[in-house]
Amino acid sequence: KPLFFPGLTAMEKKLAEYKCNTNEAIQLKLVRFPEDLEDDNTTFNPEYSHQVFGDDEVAFGYKGLKILLYYIAGNLSTLFRIEYTSKVNEKFDCVEADDVESKIREIIPPGFCTNTDDFVSLLEKEVNFKPFGMLLHTYSIHNEEAGEDITYQIYKADMTCPGFREYHERLQTFLMWFIETASFIDVDDERWNYFLVFEKYNKDGATLFATVGYMTVYNYYVYPDKTRPRVSQMLILPPFQGEGHGAQLLETVHRYYMSSPTVLDITAEDPSENYVKLRDFVLVKLCQDLLCFSPVKLMQGFSQEMVTEAQQKLKINKQHTRRVYEILRLRATNMGDAEQSRSYRLDVKRRLIGPYKKKQRELAKMRRCLRPEEMTNQLNQIDLNLQREQLEESFQQLISDYRRVLERLAQA
């Protein structure tokens, strides 16, 4: 990189004006009616664009850059256009603008529209779009704005459904903008299951379907005759976030696998913090009525009975069952009672201290084979007071997460 001295040159100042934040430049829409195209309220922006535009999330070479990615609400036919007020010119500025178009083309499948008229004529055919696969669950949510209940449906689809492969290619482009470490999956592997959420809406007296979100699950084989489904990606599109669709989807998927005798339990790949909170809520909701989680049994501590019952009846693995137990025990515990509160805290901290204990066992092993002066360096890293502080901090954070789950449960 050339060194810039204080006082930027006129040229550098000029070039700095040609940098655009790609999270702001990219404008996404899910279009139901032609008038949505002109309505700013229907536009939303990515949370991330680093996978396409690099860690700085910047596109160079344009002023007033707009990258329009508009999707028809149901089948996700795409309009892709780039607009800007001015662009650097190689002849005069001796620099080249980023090739924004080819970067976007890398992640969106071919066959998109580039002008609005074509897009609007596709919109008229949207009445023919129907969800893919098998209907698993229907639910409704009261919408304040519309003053009515809106109906949603969850379907399980696979690549044999006509048109689904192409639809999925368009759908997965959203992952890039909303999941930090997203990657596209190998759709030719038949062990993938796809679960889709749609909203039913009316247009000129007809019932149409809009895409709300989806989840992909991979079925791992477990010797000799079981599978262990692993949730890979889950996305509720931004216009629908915060309405409870994630919980509906996760619970529906759990119930789908619960009914299968060959499923061992359900896990998740590298879950985000938000996903863990969602899962806590759904699993606690499913488990709270099991006999092994009665208040009396909760007070007696975590048991093998809980592990077995949660796995056999609800396909929940041991690690997640332990969290469910801690959340339900918190609900059954009077934290104002010194004895009950102390007993609960010790119980949770005993689990939290596991990793520290492991570290200390490793240290004891090292002690036997290291010279004393090498040892002190290793020991300095593990200060007991620090450990206690970290443990208390983890505990407090956990309790506040657990309380939020219980609050949501109380409202459910």
Side-chain angles (χ1 to χ4, degrees):
K1 268 188 174 171
L3 290 170
F4 287 145
F5 297 102
L8 294 175
T9 65
M11 180 66 178
E12 285 154 6
K13 275 187 185 149
K14 184 181 167 188
L15 292 180
E17 290 172 7
Y18 283 90
K19 281 183 177 174
C20 297
N21 174 333
T22 46
N23 289 340
E24 289 163 18
I26 297 167
Q27 302 191 354
L28 303 161
K29 263 186 207 292
L30 293 164
V31 179
R32 301 184 183 194
F33 306 99
E35 50 271 28
D36 293 344
L37 290 168
E38 304 306 316
D39 182 358
D40 288 342
N41 293 325
T42 61
T43 306
F44 55 103
N45 303 92
E47 272 174 53
Y48 308 104
S49 54
H50 61 92
Q51 296 224 56
V52 182
F53 290 100
D55 289 346
D56 295 341
E57 300 185 318
V58 159
F60 170 74
Y62 306 87
K63 267 189 199 175
L65 177 65
K66 284 184 185 173
I67 300 166
L68 307 181
L69 279 168
Y70 294 174
Y71 292 81
I72 292 178
N75 81 1
L76 304 178
S77 295
T78 314
L79 169 71
F80 168 43
R81 282 228 320 264
I82 293 171
E83 298 174 356
Y84 48 84
T85 48
S86 69
K87 180 178 177 179
V88 291
N89 180 327
E90 226 180 317
K91 249 205 292 229
F92 298 105
D93 304 323
C94 305
V95 285
E96 213 177 328
D98 289 346
D99 185 354
V100 171
E101 183 170 340
S102 70
K103 287 185 175 174
I104 297 284
R105 273 174 179 267
E106 274 175 35
I107 63 155
I108 65 170
F112 50 82
C113 303
T114 52
N115 74 63
T116 314
D117 293 347
D118 294 347
F119 188 69
V120 171
S121 67
L122 280 178
L123 190 56
E124 287 161 14
K125 301 193 182 97
E126 177 72 347
V127 67
N128 303 319
F129 172 75
K130 294 286 175 279
F132 302 93
M134 168 175 78
L135 175 62
L136 296 181
H137 178 53
T138 301
Y139 61 98
S140 60
I141 292 176
H142 186 72
N143 183 299
E144 290 296 327
E145 221 174 300
E148 59 179 354
D149 288 351
I150 293 179
T151 302
Y152 299 88
Q153 294 188 321
I154 299 176
Y155 289 77
K156 176 184 176 287
D158 58 53
M159 286 298 155
T160 62
C161 304
F164 179 64
R165 179 182 287 263
E166 294 73 17
Y167 166 85
H168 175 265
E169 278 193 352
R170 299 189 289 273
L171 176 60
Q172 69 176 356
T173 60
F174 285 101
L175 297 176
M176 285 297 161
W177 313 129
F178 298 103
I179 294 180
E180 199 170 353
T181 55
S183 58
F184 292 163
I185 64 179
D186 171 16
V187 294
D188 290 318
D189 186 332
E190 285 167 10
R191 286 186 292 183
W192 284 106
N193 286 151
Y194 307 85
F195 299 89
L196 310 161
V197 188
F198 293 97
E199 175 192 325
K200 286 174 121 172
Y201 70 98
N202 293 318
K203 183 177 179 180
D204 306 329
T207 299
L208 278 73
F209 292 87
T211 301
V212 171
Y214 81 120
M215 181 193 277
T216 56
V217 181
Y218 192 76
N219 294 297
Y220 278 90
Y221 167 71
V222 180
Y223 182 83
D225 58 355
K226 295 267 194 270
T227 59
R228 176 171 269 143
R230 188 165 86 172
V231 175
S232 171
Q233 287 154 330
M234 175 176 183
L235 177 64
I236 301 298
L237 294 167
F240 304 97
Q241 285 172 8
E243 296 176 357
H245 301 292
Q248 290 279 356
L249 178 55
L250 188 56
E251 184 174 338
T252 301
V253 169
H254 245 277
R255 289 189 184 283
Y256 170 78
Y257 288 118
M258 265 156 54
S259 62
S260 162
T262 60
V263 169
L264 196 62
D265 53 33
I266 302 164
T267 62
E269 182 185 339
D270 193 18
S272 69
E273 231 172 276
N274 284 340
Y275 179 80
V276 171
K277 286 173 184 166
L278 179 69
R279 180 175 65 201
D280 283 343
F281 167 70
V282 169
L283 299 190
V284 169
K285 185 170 171 254
L286 289 170
C287 286
Q288 59 183 349
D289 299 325
L290 292 180
L291 287 174
C292 63
F293 289 111
S294 66
V296 173
K297 293 200 167 168
L298 288 165
M299 295 323 238
Q300 291 165 359
F302 188 53
S303 67
Q304 184 55 44
E305 184 194 1
M306 293 170 182
V307 176
T308 309
E309 198 172 348
Q311 184 170 32
Q312 284 174 355
K313 292 187 179 163
L314 304 172
K315 313 292 186 186
I316 297 172
N317 70 24
K318 183 177 181 177
Q319 192 189 350
H320 301 163
T321 303
R322 171 73 203 203
R323 275 181 80 91
V324 167
Y325 152 76
E326 287 177 8
I327 294 168
L328 286 173
R329 179 162 173 184
L330 177 63
R331 184 169 72 176
T333 300
N334 172 7
M335 292 301 268
D337 176 307
E339 187 41 50
Q340 282 191 33
S341 147
R342 181 175 169 274
S343 165
Y344 180 75
R345 197 163 53 241
L346 284 173
D347 187 55
V348 175
K349 283 190 171 179
R350 224 174 274 134
R351 174 181 68 80
L352 290 174
I353 206 163
Y356 295 106
K357 286 261 169 71
K358 189 174 167 213
K359 222 169 185 181
Q360 275 160 336
R361 282 197 299 276
E362 285 165 4
L363 270 176
K365 270 188 201 156
M366 280 161 59
R367 243 186 223 119
R368 293 198 284 275
C369 56
L370 283 181
R371 294 199 298 278
E373 65 275 17
E374 289 177 292
M375 202 50 223
T376 47
N377 286 340
Q378 295 290 337
L379 272 177
N380 290 342
Q381 289 171 12
I382 299 188
D383 172 9
L384 282 172
N385 288 336
L386 186 67
Q387 248 192 55
R388 278 194 203 101
E389 268 172 45
Q390 284 174 341
L391 199 59
E392 181 58 27
E393 213 173 286
S394 305
F395 176 75
Q396 292 302 342
Q397 179 57 52
L398 210 56
I399 295 303
S400 82
D401 287 348
Y402 288 177
R403 287 213 164 101
R404 267 199 293 274
V405 173
L406 291 172
E407 273 164 33
R408 185 172 177 184
L409 206 62
Q411 292 160 3

